[in-house]
Amino acid sequence: MVDRVYNFSPGPATLPYEVLENAGRDVVNFQDTGIGLIEISHRSKEFMAVADETEANLRELLKIPDNYKVLFLQGGASSQFFMIPMNLLGSQKKATYLNTGTWAKKAIKEAKLFGNIDVPFSSEESSFNKVPRSGEYEIAQESEYLYFVSNNTIYGTQFAQFPETDKMLISDMSSDILSRPVDINKFGIIFAGAQKNLGPAGVTIVIIREDLLEETPENTPSMLSYKTHADKGSMFNTPPCFAIYAVGEVLKWLKKQGGVDAIEKRNIEKASLLYQAIDATDYYRGHAEKDSRSLMNISFNLPTPELEAKFIDEAAAIGLNGLKGHRSIGGCRASIYNAFPTEGVEKLVQFMQKFETENPVSN
Ligand SMILES: *Cc1c(COP(=O)(O)O)cnc(C)c1O
């Protein structure tokens, strides 16, 4: 095994080592075909089997009902920001969006190109340090759907409970898909860029309720219509073969860990270790309000920007990498997705205690 550091990067993010090893082998010679994985036809029986198995495992792990399609698309999670309203809001229909951070804001901007968008909640004034509680906002009657970002990667906030409403939910789960169970039936669409919790960059998973495939306006370009991809099993054009394969390997790994319930338990344990360390002292301050805290991204500050820079450098020197916060809020951020090992969190907690002792603030 190569010397690995603990990689707290928000995305692309750390992957299970066995996934990297398998990928390294298969890129050179896929299943003893004498052809490398990234050379093989997407219509070969070998690759079709990979795509089928990946979808089957995702369905099993997330308990996706039969009336939902699973699509493997390109263009990143960001392309879903316009594909959703483009397909669902033809002729200026209404939708409600919750503004809980950068990714929500970007989705709102795109949605306004197509529909009549209502934004009854925003935590922008408090640097997006919280998500709304149920009842804190109203959903316009005529809304086609309620859109929210289940985990706000940059600010480290997360919906512990999904919004309660009889409206159809649509969610960007890019940074917490498969980290906890989800009742898919409440959702019209769930999507996630793979590079946080699922695999490498290059594929976006879209889980879409079948009846929504009929909503798309006629003048929608083929590549931007969900129906095109659903009808062709995500093979309307060449799919991102390598990324789909790697997601498949991550899903096999996740099944071996005991699936979504088991990983949720471990995610809670890992995040609790870090939040306890933050709450134990005034030296570290969590960005998120307590009841909005994310189990995936923990954003925190030290007493000064200078100490933060020193903290990030010294951490990197002992193999704790990628702790710099997003440029929009600064500070530090530990991203601890499914594949991030508990030992790395323990090492960070020890380092935090040591750093505080060695760098006291004089009052
Ligand atoms: C990273 C991220 C995105 C952007 O994903 P791209 O694949 O780079 O477009 C969108 N939403 C959330 C919640 C993210 O964490």
Side-chain angles (χ1 to χ4, degrees), residues 10-11 75-79 81 103-104 147 149-154 172-175 191-196 201-204 297 337:
S78 299
S79 289
F81 299 168
W103 300 116
Y147 180 106
V149 180
S150 66
N151 181 71
N152 296 281
T153 323
I154 295 172
D172 177 355
M173 296 197 185
S174 292
S175 53
F191 68 94
Q195 69 273 24
K196 275 100 187 202
V203 67
T204 302
N297 311 94
Y337 303 115

Side-chain angles (χ1 to χ4, degrees), residues 97-100 108 119-123 130-133 136-137:
Y97 280 64
L98 303 177
N99 185 17
T100 55
I108 291 165
V119 184
F121 175 87
S122 171
S123 47
K130 60 181 176 186
V131 297
R133 301 174 188 98
E136 222 181 306
Y137 55 90

Side-chain angles (χ1 to χ4, degrees), residues 99-157:
N99 185 17
T100 55
T102 300
W103 300 116
K105 222 173 139 175
K106 288 186 169 173
I108 291 165
K109 176 166 181 263
E110 302 297 292
K112 283 182 173 166
L113 298 172
F114 299 96
N116 178 356
I117 305 304
D118 206 33
V119 184
F121 175 87
S122 171
S123 47
E124 187 160 15
E125 277 177 20
S126 55
S127 291
F128 295 119
N129 67 344
K130 60 181 176 186
V131 297
R133 301 174 188 98
S134 278
E136 222 181 306
Y137 55 90
E138 267 178 46
I139 306 171
Q141 252 328 304
E142 329 79 79
S143 284
E144 300 293 318
Y145 58 81
L146 174 66
Y147 180 106
F148 70 103
V149 180
S150 66
N151 181 71
N152 296 281
T153 323
I154 295 172
Y155 307 93
T157 67

Side-chain angles (χ1 to χ4, degrees), residues 267-276 294-295 298 336:
N267 287 334
I268 292 171
E269 287 163 6
K270 285 187 303 187
S272 303
L273 284 175
L274 259 177
Y275 285 124
Q276 277 163 23
S294 168
L295 300 181
I298 288 115
I336 50 170

Side-chain angles (χ1 to χ4, degrees), residues 10 13 58 61-62 77 103 131 148-154 156-163 170-182 184 187 190-198 207 254 260 263-264 267 292-297 335-339:
L58 186 69
L61 282 161
L62 272 180
W103 300 116
V131 297
F148 70 103
V149 180
S150 66
N151 181 71
N152 296 281
T153 323
I154 295 172
T157 67
Q158 187 174 28
F159 284 81
Q161 274 90 38
F162 296 129
I170 291 188
S171 188
D172 177 355
M173 296 197 185
S174 292
S175 53
D176 68 352
I177 192 165
L178 286 163
S179 70
R180 55 177 171 172
V182 175
I184 306 282
F187 293 82
I190 290 171
F191 68 94
Q195 69 273 24
K196 275 100 187 202
N197 222 356
L198 274 177
I207 301 164
L254 184 52
V260 172
I263 210 78
E264 180 190 36
N267 287 334
S292 293
R293 283 176 163 179
S294 168
L295 300 181
M296 300 276 99
N297 311 94
S335 297
I336 50 170
Y337 303 115
N338 285 353

